[in-house]
Amino acid sequence: MRKLSIIGIGAGHPDYITVQAIKALETLDVVFLIDKGEEKDDLAKLRREICERHIKKPFRFVEAKDPERDRKPVSYEAAVTTWHDKRAAIYEAMIRNELADGQHGAFLVWGDPSLYDSTLRIVDQVAAMQTVAFELDVIPGITSVQALTARHRITLNRIGGPVHITTGRQLAKGLPGDDTVVMLDGECTFKTVKDDGIDIYWGAYLGTEDEILISGRLSDHSAEIERVRTEARARHGWIMDTYLLRKTSGGSQ
Ligand SMILES: C[S@@+](CC[C@H](N)C(=O)[O-])C[C@H]1O[C@@H](n2cnc3c(N)ncnc32)[C@H](O)[C@@H]1O
C-alpha cells in the first residue's frame, strides 16, 4: 500500500514545524510540490529548505505546475470546481506514477491543511476516482491565524465568545461578527467597514524576517495599512496578510 501524508508545515517561520511533522518528514520517499508560479518563489524555497533540513535519508521531489485558474470568472464557485478537477487529475497522476507500492509520499501544506487549503479536498477527489489506492494521514500545522494572535500577543476569542473566520470577498458583504479574522483579502476590504468602534490587528509575512505588524483603531490605521501593504507587495512581488477585526464596544478581553 502507498502511504500519503498531508503535512501542515506552519505559516511562515521554519520553527513553526511540529515534532509530529518532523517525524513524518523523516520517513518520506517522495515530496510532491506544486509550482504556483514565480511570485510564490520564496514560499517554494522555504518548503525545500524544510525538507533538506529534516529529511535525512535519500528522497525525491516530484514537481508539477499548478493548472491555470480563471481569475475573473462569471461564477466563482464553478471556476474553483473546474480548477480543482484539473488539479485532481494532476495529483492522481503524480501519486500513481511517482509513488511505488510501500513508499511514503507527502504534500506539504502552508499553515494547517484544514484552513483555506484545497489539498485535502483534492486528495479526497483522487481517492474517489479509485484508480490508485493509498493510506492517508493528516498532520496539523500552525496557522497564520495563530501566528497573527501570537505576534500581536492577543487572544483570538473573548471570554466565551465566538470567532468568525472569513475571506475578504465575504467581508465585502458586511462584518459577520464582533471578532472576525479575515484571510485571502487582496483588496484591503477592511476599508469598507465603517463602524467606528473597531480595532484591527494586521500582520503580513507573519513568522518570516519580512514580517510587518500594525494594530490599533481601524479608522486611524486603515489608510496606513493600505499604503504599507501596497509598498510591501511591490517590493516582494507578492504578499500574504491576515487580520483580526475586533469590535471594542461591549466585549471584555
Ligand atoms: C490559501 S490560504 C492558506 C492558509 C493556511 N492554510 C493557514 O493555515 O494559515 C492563504 C492565506 O493565508 C493567510 N496567510 C498565510 N500565511 C501567512 C503569513 N505568513 N502571514 C500572513 N498571512 C498569511 C493570508 O490571508 C493568505 O491570503
Side-chain angles (χ1 to χ4, degrees):
M1 185 70 138
R2 296 166 171 90
K3 182 170 174 187
L4 185 67
S5 296
I6 301 184
I7 304 177
I9 58 167
H13 197 291
D15 290 352
Y16 283 167
I17 195 139
T18 66
V19 175
Q20 190 184 24
I22 291 172
K23 283 185 179 165
L25 286 172
E26 281 168 351
T27 69
L28 289 181
D29 300 294
V30 180
V31 176
F32 296 112
L33 295 174
I34 303 295
D35 174 7
K36 297 188 177 179
E38 281 168 12
E39 61 172 13
K40 299 274 172 70
D41 261 5
D42 293 354
L43 305 188
K45 199 167 135 236
L46 187 79
R47 274 201 181 84
R48 284 180 186 275
E49 277 169 13
I50 284 176
C51 293
E52 269 137 29
R53 183 167 148 201
H54 296 295
I55 308 179
K56 304 282 183 249
K57 60 175 207 147
F59 73 100
R60 292 185 300 130
F61 286 114
V62 170
E63 196 160 346
K65 266 216 167 325
D66 210 19
E68 286 296 315
R69 178 176 171 184
D70 185 354
R71 293 277 165 194
K72 301 230 181 298
V74 182
S75 158
Y76 177 78
E77 280 74 21
V80 170
T81 306
T82 308
W83 183 52
H84 281 188
D85 288 348
K86 287 189 201 162
R87 282 181 131 189
I90 292 169
Y91 282 39
E92 191 271 347
M94 287 204 292
I95 298 165
R96 186 163 41 80
N97 298 330
E98 302 287 349
L99 195 64
D101 220 13
Q103 285 196 324
H104 184 191
F107 288 95
L108 308 189
V109 171
W110 193 250
D112 182 78
S114 71
L115 187 65
Y116 290 117
D117 186 273
S118 49
T119 311
L120 257 172
R121 256 186 297 269
I122 294 167
V123 167
D124 281 348
Q125 239 175 295
V126 173
M129 291 177 189
Q130 296 190 336
T131 49
V132 54
F134 52 86
E135 181 195 316
L136 177 67
D137 75 342
V138 178
I139 294 171
I142 292 181
T143 67
S144 49
V145 179
Q146 290 163 294
L148 178 80
T149 53
R151 297 297 294 135
H152 280 289
R153 291 172 288 182
I154 55 168
T155 58
L156 178 59
N157 64 291
R158 274 160 314 164
I159 299 170
V163 177
H164 216 103
I165 300 180
T166 191
T167 61
R169 182 181 287 269
Q170 295 296 331
L171 180 66
K173 298 175 191 165
L175 192 61
D178 288 352
D179 289 280
T180 304
V181 176
V182 184
M183 303 174 69
L184 293 160
D185 182 7
E187 309 292 331
C188 295
T189 311
F190 50 78
K191 287 187 302 186
T192 65
V193 177
K194 294 298 173 214
D195 194 322
D196 241 5
I198 289 182
D199 286 343
I200 184 166
Y201 296 88
W202 179 80
Y205 313 102
L206 288 158
T208 75
E209 55 193 25
D210 301 310
E211 181 179 87
I212 314 171
L213 300 171
I214 297 177
S215 63
R217 186 73 19 166
L218 176 61
S219 48
D220 294 341
H221 292 280
S222 182
E224 177 196 357
I225 295 172
E226 188 178 16
R227 178 180 49 75
V228 169
R229 188 186 191 282
T230 307
E231 285 168 8
R233 191 180 191 286
R235 205 166 47 249
H236 295 281
W238 63 278
I239 190 162
M240 282 212 287
D241 60 330
T242 303
Y243 53 93
L244 170 70
L245 296 175
R246 171 154 288 165
K247 225 180 185 129
T248 50
S249 39
S252 59
Q253 296 222 12

